[in-house]
Amino acid sequence: MEAEYVRSVYHTRDLPPPRLTEIAVAGRSNVGKSSLLNRLTGRRHLAKTSATPGKTRCLNYFLIHPDSARDFYIVDLPGYGYAKVSKEMREDWDRLLSAYLEEATRPSGLIALFDSRREATATDSEWLAWLGQWGRPYLVVLTKCDKLTNNERAKSLLRWRRAMESGGPEPVMFSAMTSEGKDKIWQWIDRVRKSRAHN
């Protein structure tokens, strides 16, 4: 699969024309968003990973060229809950995210990442509640599942199902180390893209 970084967006005026499907990826700053993007596309260095979480401070657009299918964007959103930045910068991020996610024409769907080893924080619960009311397709992905025993995995799935008070699709366990969950995520992305094409 071909994939390439296109642009970083700091202001909504710099968003590309909404001609292609956009799949957003969101999560806490240390949840493994870059690792997921690299594993999904098979490109080890497409999205830069950092030893210091919270480096993504804008919307990063990646153009994906699937085999025998129309191009689409994956949009990496700024992480939340970790970055040590000023209150003003955090408010700027919130405004950018709100403006982007509430646009009528984008994104077509959102992949919400959570660490499978952790309990849902208040901020995580707010995200899940908001997604339940958003009215567009979303998928909860539980990262770093390779670090769990079978018993811990079962408990994690139950814990996050309970946190999803508004329902939603079954969470997907994902590992950037083993590729577990990769096919399920791609199947979901394909459904979202086909649904958008028919609307």
Side-chain angles (χ1 to χ4, degrees), residues 21 190-199:
T21 299
D190 287 341
R191 288 196 297 270
V192 173
R193 294 171 59 221
K194 290 176 181 176
S195 176
R196 183 183 187 275
H198 293 151
N199 292 334

CSV table of all heavy atoms in Angstrom, one decimal, residues 21 190-199:
chain,number,residue,atom,x,y,z
A,21,THR,N,-12.7,10.9,1.3
A,21,THR,CA,-13.1,10.4,2.6
A,21,THR,C,-12.0,10.7,3.6
A,21,THR,O,-10.8,10.5,3.3
A,21,THR,CB,-13.3,8.9,2.6
A,21,THR,OG1,-14.4,8.6,1.7
A,21,THR,CG2,-13.7,8.3,4.0
A,190,ASP,N,-13.2,0.2,5.4
A,190,ASP,CA,-13.8,0.0,4.1
A,190,ASP,C,-15.3,0.2,4.2
A,190,ASP,O,-15.9,0.7,3.2
A,190,ASP,CB,-13.4,-1.5,3.7
A,190,ASP,CG,-12.0,-1.6,3.2
A,190,ASP,OD1,-11.3,-0.6,2.9
A,190,ASP,OD2,-11.5,-2.8,3.2
A,191,ARG,N,-15.9,-0.3,5.2
A,191,ARG,CA,-17.4,0.0,5.3
A,191,ARG,C,-17.7,1.4,5.4
A,191,ARG,O,-18.7,1.9,4.8
A,191,ARG,CB,-17.9,-0.8,6.6
A,191,ARG,CG,-17.9,-2.3,6.5
A,191,ARG,CD,-18.8,-2.9,7.6
A,191,ARG,NE,-18.3,-2.6,8.9
A,191,ARG,CZ,-17.5,-3.4,9.5
A,191,ARG,NH1,-17.0,-4.5,8.9
A,191,ARG,NH2,-17.1,-3.1,10.8
A,192,VAL,N,-16.9,2.2,6.1
A,192,VAL,CA,-17.2,3.6,6.2
A,192,VAL,C,-17.0,4.3,4.8
A,192,VAL,O,-17.8,5.1,4.4
A,192,VAL,CB,-16.2,4.3,7.3
A,192,VAL,CG1,-16.4,5.8,7.2
A,192,VAL,CG2,-16.6,3.8,8.7
A,193,ARG,N,-16.0,3.9,4.1
A,193,ARG,CA,-15.7,4.5,2.8
A,193,ARG,C,-16.8,4.2,1.8
A,193,ARG,O,-17.2,5.0,1.1
A,193,ARG,CB,-14.3,4.0,2.3
A,193,ARG,CG,-13.2,4.5,3.1
A,193,ARG,CD,-11.9,3.9,2.7
A,193,ARG,NE,-11.6,4.1,1.3
A,193,ARG,CZ,-11.1,3.2,0.5
A,193,ARG,NH1,-10.9,2.0,0.9
A,193,ARG,NH2,-10.9,3.6,-0.7
A,194,LYS,N,-17.3,2.9,1.9
A,194,LYS,CA,-18.3,2.5,1.0
A,194,LYS,C,-19.6,3.2,1.3
A,194,LYS,O,-20.4,3.6,0.4
A,194,LYS,CB,-18.5,1.0,1.0
A,194,LYS,CG,-17.4,0.2,0.4
A,194,LYS,CD,-17.6,-1.3,0.6
A,194,LYS,CE,-16.4,-2.0,0.0
A,194,LYS,NZ,-16.5,-3.5,0.2
A,195,SER,N,-19.9,3.4,2.6
A,195,SER,CA,-21.1,4.1,3.0
A,195,SER,C,-21.1,5.6,2.5
A,195,SER,O,-22.1,6.1,2.0
A,195,SER,CB,-21.2,4.1,4.5
A,195,SER,OG,-22.3,4.8,5.0
A,196,ARG,N,-19.9,6.2,2.6
A,196,ARG,CA,-19.8,7.6,2.2
A,196,ARG,C,-20.0,7.7,0.7
A,196,ARG,O,-20.6,8.6,0.2
A,196,ARG,CB,-18.4,8.2,2.6
A,196,ARG,CG,-18.3,9.7,2.2
A,196,ARG,CD,-16.9,10.1,2.5
A,196,ARG,NE,-16.7,11.6,2.3
A,196,ARG,CZ,-16.4,12.1,1.2
A,196,ARG,NH1,-16.3,11.4,0.1
A,196,ARG,NH2,-16.3,13.5,1.1
A,197,ALA,N,-19.5,6.7,-0.1
A,197,ALA,CA,-19.6,6.7,-1.5
A,197,ALA,C,-21.0,6.6,-2.0
A,197,ALA,O,-21.4,7.1,-3.1
A,197,ALA,CB,-18.8,5.6,-2.1
A,198,HIS,N,-21.9,6.0,-1.2
A,198,HIS,CA,-23.3,5.8,-1.5
A,198,HIS,C,-24.2,6.9,-1.1
A,198,HIS,O,-25.3,6.9,-1.4
A,198,HIS,CB,-23.8,4.5,-1.0
A,198,HIS,CG,-23.1,3.3,-1.6
A,198,HIS,ND1,-23.0,2.1,-0.9
A,198,HIS,CD2,-22.6,3.1,-2.8
A,198,HIS,CE1,-22.4,1.2,-1.7
A,198,HIS,NE2,-22.1,1.8,-2.8
A,199,ASN,N,-23.6,7.9,-0.3
A,199,ASN,CA,-24.4,9.0,0.2
A,199,ASN,C,-24.2,10.2,-0.7
A,199,ASN,O,-23.3,10.3,-1.5
A,199,ASN,CB,-24.0,9.3,1.6
A,199,ASN,CG,-24.4,8.2,2.6
A,199,ASN,OD1,-25.3,7.5,2.3
A,199,ASN,ND2,-23.6,8.1,3.7
